[in-house]
Amino acid sequence: MIRITLDLIFLFLFLVLGMPVLFFLHLWYKDDWMGDLKSCTRKVRWALNIVVKMSGTTIICEGLENVPKDEAVLFVGNHRSYFDIICTHASLDRPAGFVAKAEMSKVPFLRTWMLRIGCLFLDRKDPREGLKTILKAIEHIKKGASVIIYPEGTRNINEDPKELLPFHEGSLKIAQKAGCLIVPMAIYGTDDILEKHFPVVKKQTITLRFGKPFYSKDIPEGHKKKQGAYVRDIITSMIADIEKERVSL
């Protein structure tokens, strides 16, 4: 209980007390969207790394060499915990907003910070608004900001971490239309931090692995109509490899 309380207090203070900083940055980078994005991202990454340390989490980050340094990409990952977002943002050295459920846009202060680091809100109940979100994500990538998506659409609570939920095919259209690389991302062990014993936060070692990138156009012909399923299989295989390595230790 102590760790989650400290994490929540720190995050609340950061979100609230950091608002004047956001205002200053807005004035400073008035005509520089990317400059503002990078500056806000650095501050959020600093805060999330503190949350990671306070929670006793150790991140084993692998495969960063697979992530191109000079271009925006679409990160596609599995989703088992709120710590997926925290650990991913704490590990990346670039602006990369994630696509979040629309309900998060109603949280005061959090919404403002999320928008300033390039996050987008997806209304799953409104196809028209969903299309707008996809178009906005494409625009972000073309402007040089990476995007993170969790195509399962919600946190996966299956006991077997290899048993992923079906991927929403529409989310992969972001890479197809933007012409950017897809970077598969496997996250293992984050639900052991909190969700499996909520509200207690426990010390854990988690693995965040980035796979080989590829373009949507290079997906084998037989899988082009089901690109979500194709990427899902890749991530499932990555999770299986991590699990085997953990067992052998």
Side-chain angles (χ1 to χ4, degrees), residues 97-101 114-115 118-122 133 136-137 140 147:
F98 63 94
V99 178
K101 57 185 180 182
M114 288 176 67
L115 288 173
C119 294
L120 300 165
F121 300 104
L122 178 65
T133 301
K136 193 70 176 178
H140 278 204
V147 173

Side-chain angles (χ1 to χ4, degrees), residues 76-81 84 124 149-158 160-169 171-172 185 187 228 232 235-236 239:
V76 182
N78 59 304
H79 189 28
R80 293 186 66 83
S81 168
D84 296 336
R124 302 174 194 149
I149 61 169
Y150 302 102
E152 288 174 283
T154 188
R155 286 184 296 115
N156 181 2
I157 60 174
N158 288 329
D160 185 349
K162 300 185 297 299
E163 191 179 336
L164 304 187
L165 301 175
F167 278 20
H168 292 281
E169 294 291 334
S171 55
L172 273 298
M185 184 173 67
I187 308 169
R232 179 179 179 271
I235 295 173
T236 299
I239 294 171

Side-chain angles (χ1 to χ4, degrees), residues 140-212:
H140 278 204
I141 290 174
K142 288 185 175 179
K143 288 166 68 175
S146 296
V147 173
I148 302 168
I149 61 169
Y150 302 102
E152 288 174 283
T154 188
R155 286 184 296 115
N156 181 2
I157 60 174
N158 288 329
E159 186 173 345
D160 185 349
K162 300 185 297 299
E163 191 179 336
L164 304 187
L165 301 175
F167 278 20
H168 292 281
E169 294 291 334
S171 55
L172 273 298
K173 290 187 181 297
I174 295 171
Q176 188 177 359
K177 299 296 183 181
C180 70
L181 283 165
I182 296 169
V183 177
M185 184 173 67
I187 308 169
Y188 187 90
T190 46
D191 53 337
D192 288 324
I193 301 172
L194 175 64
E195 279 77 5
K196 285 186 176 180
H197 32 70
F198 181 85
V200 177
V201 170
K202 290 190 176 181
K203 288 185 177 182
Q204 297 292 343
T205 297
I206 70 105
T207 300
L208 172 61
R209 180 174 295 178
F210 298 95
K212 296 287 186 182

Side-chain angles (χ1 to χ4, degrees), residues 38 41 58 81 102 104 112 117 122 138 159 165:
K38 288 180 178 179
T41 297
T58 300
S81 168
M104 294 187 74
T112 304
I117 65 170
L122 178 65
I138 293 168
E159 186 173 345
L165 301 175

Side-chain angles (χ1 to χ4, degrees), residues 25-38:
L25 291 175
H26 174 69
L27 296 178
W28 185 264
Y29 292 106
K30 189 174 181 180
D31 299 313
D32 183 3
W33 180 78
M34 182 55 72
D36 182 67
L37 193 69
K38 288 180 178 179

Side-chain angles (χ1 to χ4, degrees), residues 11 16 21 24 47 73 106 109 122 131 161 181:
L11 281 175
V16 176
V21 176
F24 171 78
V73 303
K106 299 175 183 178
F109 303 112
L122 178 65
L131 177 59
L181 283 165

